[in-house]
Amino acid sequence: MTPSPRLPLEVWGRRLMTRAEAWADRSRLRRYAYEFLWFGLKQGWACLFGGAMLALILGTFLFWPEEAPLARYDFLVLGALGIQALMLAFRLESWEEARVIFLFHVAGTIMELFKTWHGSWIYPEESVLRIGAVPLFSGFMYAAVGSYIARVQRIFHIRVRNYPPLWTTWGLAAAIYVNFFAHHWLPDVRLALFAATGLLFMRGWFYFTADRTRRSMPLLLGYGLVALFIWFAENLGTFARAWVYPGQEGGWEMVSLNKLGAWFLLMIISVVLVSIVHRPEEEGR
């Protein structure tokens, strides 16, 4: 059977890759630099949904006209729907992944309704597309985390070793989610949840490929790094007044580092939800 002819762009791309790899292989330093470049490019591609959402938030903050007939928050809702539709249309996400990401949206919106009612943060602008004090675009910010986790597993061909039994992770994720609500009335058991997370995942490693070499990293370190980058994005989001924390009403200030712990625990919930579709696959020995 005659193989299908390659398109000119594909031929050009493969030639460019071959030349770049040959250049990188001339020294160890070049090889590491080239691999790090691919790592960054692939991470950016995995963050496509979240990056597009953040670009919309910053762009509308800087350029949205005050006299516009459509509220900025409502535009963000429509923009998020458009991004999701395009990702499905171009098969950047599967329908199975979209259903799990919808669970992120629902779980996130429920949390937003509760937290804004308790004054944990506020949405300072008016809008029509909202439930109570929560504009509907907020759920897409949680969905962006789910989209990243689902996509990064495919893009980096992630496999794991010593991943804890799934039922233990489901129990931990449920306890973390409940504590996000219950700590307003009951003792905050966050430290116990950190300890349980450490015990479950401390032996776990994940394996990934950025360029051509298989690399590995402890699961807990990977979750922590993702939580750190979400915290960076949160600082940009509050700067653009997508939402504000107490103390930021009169002017922007950096989000407290204490939020890193909350994002780390949210990462555990996110990984467990995505495992419904992408079951952790064992790395070969």
Side-chain angles (χ1 to χ4, degrees):
M1 183 176 179
T2 304
S4 301
R6 290 174 178 163
L7 296 174
L9 184 61
E10 182 184 0
V11 173
W12 175 82
R14 288 180 178 272
R15 285 177 180 170
L16 182 63
M17 284 285 295
T18 301
R19 291 173 184 171
E21 289 172 356
W23 174 87
D25 289 339
R26 291 174 188 168
S27 73
R28 180 178 296 182
L29 181 61
R30 288 186 181 185
R31 226 171 14 250
Y32 287 152
Y34 183 71
E35 186 174 11
F36 186 74
L37 173 64
W38 269 112
F39 181 83
L41 290 172
K42 287 185 174 183
Q43 285 286 350
W45 187 237
C47 291
L48 182 60
F49 188 96
M53 278 296 299
L54 191 58
L56 277 180
I57 288 171
L58 289 170
T60 54
F61 172 70
L62 295 172
F63 304 112
W64 193 256
E66 293 184 5
E67 66 278 5
L70 183 67
R72 176 192 173 214
Y73 282 178
D74 292 336
F75 176 81
L76 290 176
V77 177
L78 299 177
L81 287 170
I83 294 168
Q84 184 67 82
L86 287 172
M87 292 188 71
L88 288 170
F90 287 99
R91 298 183 180 180
L92 300 176
E93 282 178 355
S94 69
W95 280 102
E96 279 189 340
E97 290 168 349
R99 284 193 286 272
V100 173
I101 290 167
F102 177 72
L103 293 179
F104 276 83
H105 197 295
V106 172
T109 300
I110 292 171
M111 187 184 299
E112 289 284 324
L113 288 166
F114 181 84
K115 291 292 189 178
T116 53
W117 184 59
H118 279 271
S120 298
W121 55 80
I122 63 170
Y123 292 90
E125 299 180 22
E126 296 296 325
S127 62
V128 175
L129 301 176
R130 62 195 301 128
I131 301 174
V134 179
L136 295 182
F137 80 86
S138 65
F140 286 100
M141 295 186 291
Y142 293 88
V145 177
S147 175
Y148 165 78
I149 294 173
R151 286 169 55 76
V152 80
Q153 292 190 37
R154 291 199 317 271
I155 292 169
F156 282 89
H157 308 290
I158 288 177
R159 301 292 184 270
V160 296
R161 285 182 186 165
N162 298 321
Y163 193 86
L166 286 179
W167 68 269
T168 63
T169 66
W170 295 337
L172 176 62
I176 292 171
Y177 191 70
V178 169
N179 188 65
F180 277 131
F181 298 88
H183 80 87
H184 287 277
W185 303 292
L186 301 173
D188 190 348
V189 296
R190 191 170 307 187
L191 291 179
L193 293 171
F194 285 135
T197 302
L199 287 172
L200 279 181
F201 291 97
M202 65 184 298
R203 295 180 60 249
W205 287 72
F206 71 90
Y207 294 76
F208 62 95
T209 304
D211 177 27
R212 291 160 289 170
T213 304
R214 202 72 175 146
R215 303 292 184 186
S216 62
M217 182 183 295
L219 285 171
L220 290 174
L221 177 59
Y223 298 159
L225 290 173
V226 174
L228 178 63
F229 277 94
I230 294 175
W231 179 78
F232 288 146
E234 183 179 39
N235 275 280
L236 291 174
T238 55
F239 172 78
R241 295 187 70 77
W243 69 97
V244 296
Y245 288 108
Q248 293 182 323
E249 298 92 340
W252 181 79
E253 61 182 39
M254 187 172 288
V255 176
S256 169
L257 279 170
N258 292 334
K259 291 291 181 183
L260 266 176
W263 282 117
F264 179 81
L265 292 176
L266 183 69
M267 274 300 305
I268 303 302
I269 296 176
S270 304
V271 168
V272 171
L273 281 176
V274 171
S275 72
I276 296 173
V277 171
H278 291 293
R279 295 296 177 96
E281 296 184 39
E282 187 76 10
E283 174 75 1
R285 298 287 179 177

